[in-house]
Amino acid sequence: GAVVSQHPSRVICKSGTSVKIECRSLDFQATTMFWYRQFPKQSLMLMATSNEGSKATYEQGVEKDKFLINHASLTLSTLTVTSAHPEDSSFYICSASLAGGTDTQYFGPGTRLTVL
Amino acid sequence: AQSVTQLGSHVSVSEGALVLLRCNYSSSVPPYLFWYVQYPNQGLQLLLKYTSAATLVKGINGFEAEFKKSETSFHLTKPSAHMSDAAEYFCAVSEGGADGLTFGKGTHLIIQP
């Protein structure tokens, strides 16, 4: 149980376009979902926290107008990278938990974004 | 603010030898501590977690970690390494509530035959 999926697993796009990444909890309802970014050979950095039905909370330094997060249901959160640029190329990973923070976070397999 | 320091970006041990991966944390409140493992091209998998219960936490695949408040440490150990343990290991801290995790930079574990 506690499976989290992400789609797509890889995406290549042209500079200036927007890309949407989906994160789904397959067998549980997630009250809180988190989005992380991982640069090559580096650690995961928390980008934002989203609760179903409310606006996401972004970490300092993360542009909320560039990284749009929607948590429309208890099993789906989406991250849209708007007007992507090469520096946005990274590995984006989502996680989901039943109760944010103290409970276990279940991680998706990640999405590799390459912006040309 | 919270932070995690993992000593050693790469650790190499022989198969059958003791595995010790070091993690030190800082937190302004009693922390929740986690160890995750990431195999190549896969997502993070929870190995074990400390949430203020027993200080010695046993996880999956024979791993365990001990919370030492006086040393602000949460080192991960396994008595006998197996080739399948080769992976990237991340220590993470949360201060609870609705916080996300703060990760260390990770330790790449190499198992020598």
Side-chain angles (χ1 to χ4, degrees):
Chain A
V3 178
V4 176
S5 70
Q6 282 185 242
H7 178 78
S9 57
R10 291 177 179 270
V11 57
I12 300 173
C13 69
K14 293 182 178 180
S15 184
T17 61
S18 295
V19 174
K20 180 184 284 187
I21 302 170
E22 291 187 349
C23 175
R24 293 181 184 272
S25 56
L26 297 183
D27 49 5
F28 67 101
Q29 293 187 325
T31 53
T32 305
M33 288 184 167
F34 304 87
W35 286 94
Y36 296 83
R37 184 173 180 177
Q38 185 179 27
F39 290 101
K41 300 190 185 299
Q42 294 190 32
S43 187
L44 286 76
M45 299 294 293
L46 179 65
M47 298 176 66
T49 302
S50 72
N51 291 290
E52 185 265 341
S54 60
K55 290 185 177 181
T57 302
Y58 290 82
E59 295 299 299
Q60 192 172 8
V62 178
E63 298 176 60
K64 62 179 181 180
D65 294 331
K66 180 167 190 61
F67 298 100
L68 301 179
I69 292 172
N70 183 282
H71 193 161
S73 75
L74 287 172
T75 60
L76 173 64
S77 177
T78 60
L79 169 68
T80 301
V81 183
T82 62
S83 187
H85 291 284
E87 58 265 29
D88 299 323
S89 298
S90 191
F91 197 51
Y92 293 88
I93 304 173
C94 74
S95 70
S97 68
L98 292 172
T102 58
D103 203 354
T104 301
Q105 290 185 29
Y106 299 95
F107 283 80
T111 296
R112 173 77 59 194
L113 171 62
T114 303
V115 184
L116 302 177
Chain B
Q2 55 201 11
S3 66
V4 175
T5 301
Q6 290 184 241
L7 294 176
S9 59
H10 290 77
V11 170
S12 180
V13 302
S14 299
E15 189 175 18
L18 171 71
V19 175
L20 171 61
L21 304 183
R22 299 178 185 275
C23 173
N24 289 88
Y25 70 91
S26 69
S27 176
S28 57
V29 299
Y32 293 84
L33 295 159
F34 307 81
W35 275 99
Y36 283 88
V37 60
Q38 185 179 35
Y39 297 101
N41 300 317
Q42 294 187 30
L44 276 75
Q45 180 181 4
L46 179 69
L47 278 177
L48 48 82
K49 63 179 179 179
Y50 167 79
T51 56
S52 76
T55 57
L56 181 62
V57 181
K58 295 186 182 298
I60 62 171
N61 301 338
F63 285 94
E64 63 181 37
E66 185 173 9
F67 171 68
K68 292 186 177 181
K69 182 179 179 180
S70 61
E71 299 177 9
T72 61
S73 69
F74 191 57
H75 302 330
L76 181 71
T77 60
K78 181 174 180 177
S80 177
H82 192 273
M83 295 299 291
S84 61
D85 294 327
E88 191 80 18
Y89 291 80
F90 292 96
C91 181
V93 64
S94 169
E95 293 187 346
D99 292 345
L101 298 174
T102 297
F103 283 86
K105 292 188 175 182
T107 298
H108 186 64
L109 178 62
I110 301 164
I111 310 297
Q112 304 279 5

